[in-house]
Amino acid sequence: MSRYSIEEFIKQTEQVDKGEGFFELETPRMLEVNLDGQVWAKAGSMVAYHGEMKFVREGILEHGLGTAFKKALTGEGASLMKANGRGKLYLADSGKKIVILKLQNDSIFINGNDLLAFEPSIKWKIKLMKRIAGMMAGGLFNVFCEGTGMIAFTTHYEPLTLRVTPGQPVITDPNATVAWSGNLQPVIQTDISFKTFLGRGSGESIQMRFEGDGFVVVQPYEEVYMNSKQG
């Protein structure tokens, strides 16, 4: 086989069954779903599939969120889709790294913009961060997932998990915060002293403060979704 030939390229990049089950990481940035029934996925995340499938888009706002915040929620992160059928489904989100977790009667919060897919056995509900509604248009809501089943979320580059212990709170930037353990309830705080360094129109640094016993997942990247109407 000659170097750089089509045959060599196909051999190096073709899909390979790994036998890992419902979710497989086909590459670090491509999720394979071995579908036989239903899966929830982020709207717009399908890149390919084969088999017989139907896709139904469902606005996340229809899942128990008040209409008062509809204008604040924008972008693909505000919607999920259901895929029903049998076959192989391939999901990705802007080339972000994919993390797979198997929840076993566990719970976790995931930033609504970073949730990629989850099994229908997972119970989920929306949690809105009211303090920053209107200031951040894409990352202001989170999805609380609990139960037993597979879940996949995305991060820009490699994630870092920080332990939260009693008396040792962790403060994060909401734009870099991906997920946290389901028993933690972050408090939104502002730090005016940071505005000189940030140079943002909002004038304040919005921070998330985690206290208790758990963990927080952050990424080395700030997903900034500032509302254009804000100064």
Side-chain angles (χ1 to χ4, degrees):
M1 187 180 297
S2 62
R3 193 179 183 192
Y4 302 128
S5 67
I6 290 178
E7 290 79 6
E8 182 190 37
F9 172 76
I10 293 173
K11 183 179 179 181
Q12 290 179 351
T13 62
E14 70 178 331
Q15 181 265 333
V16 177
D17 283 325
K18 300 176 183 178
E20 295 175 355
F22 187 65
F23 281 175
E24 293 184 11
L25 276 183
E26 195 61 36
T27 74
R29 293 168 174 80
M30 185 82 71
L31 179 69
E32 178 184 277
V33 182
N34 291 295
L35 190 61
D36 187 6
Q38 179 179 299
V39 67
W40 284 97
K42 183 176 182 179
S45 64
M46 187 275 288
V47 295
Y49 72 91
H50 60 76
E52 294 294 326
M53 297 184 195
K54 291 184 179 180
F55 299 91
V56 179
R57 184 179 179 124
E58 177 173 324
I60 229 169
L61 295 167
E62 299 168 13
H63 200 76
L65 245 181
T67 57
F69 301 102
K70 281 188 175 181
K71 292 183 179 179
L73 293 172
T74 59
E76 288 298 301
S79 298
L80 292 172
M81 66 180 181
K82 285 183 286 189
N84 293 281
R86 297 186 64 181
K88 292 185 182 293
L89 171 63
Y90 298 95
L91 305 174
D93 184 12
S94 302
K96 294 162 67 178
K97 188 178 178 69
I98 297 170
V99 177
I100 297 175
L101 293 179
K102 184 174 183 179
L103 300 189
Q104 296 181 315
N105 200 26
D106 299 313
S107 62
I108 189 171
F109 283 93
I110 299 178
N111 184 295
N113 201 54
D114 299 318
L115 183 60
L116 181 63
F118 55 93
E119 284 192 87
S121 59
I122 297 293
K123 297 178 182 178
W124 60 282
K125 56 185 175 182
I126 306 303
K127 298 287 188 178
L128 185 73
M129 307 191 73
K130 298 179 182 178
R131 281 288 305 275
I132 51 178
M135 297 185 73
M136 295 170 57
L140 62 88
F141 70 97
N142 302 287
V143 184
F144 177 70
C145 301
E146 64 177 338
T148 298
M150 303 291 284
I151 190 168
F153 63 91
T154 58
T155 67
H156 284 277
Y157 311 105
E158 282 66 33
L160 174 69
T161 299
L162 302 172
R163 290 279 189 177
V164 181
T165 57
Q168 296 290 328
V170 172
I171 292 87
T172 67
D173 183 329
N175 294 307
T177 306
V178 176
W180 59 91
S181 49
N183 62 308
L184 297 182
Q185 296 291 336
V187 175
I188 301 299
Q189 65 182 29
T190 56
D191 190 336
I192 299 176
S193 65
F194 271 97
K195 70 178 181 179
T196 305
F197 302 102
L198 293 173
R200 290 182 182 170
S202 63
E204 294 179 334
S205 168
I206 306 169
Q207 300 168 345
M208 297 172 73
R209 182 184 181 92
F210 295 88
E211 294 192 60
D213 189 1
F215 64 88
V216 184
V217 182
V218 293
Q219 62 184 4
Y221 183 96
E222 290 185 65
E223 292 188 72
V224 181
Y225 298 91
M226 299 302 293
N227 191 323
S228 61
K229 295 182 180 180
Q230 295 294 316

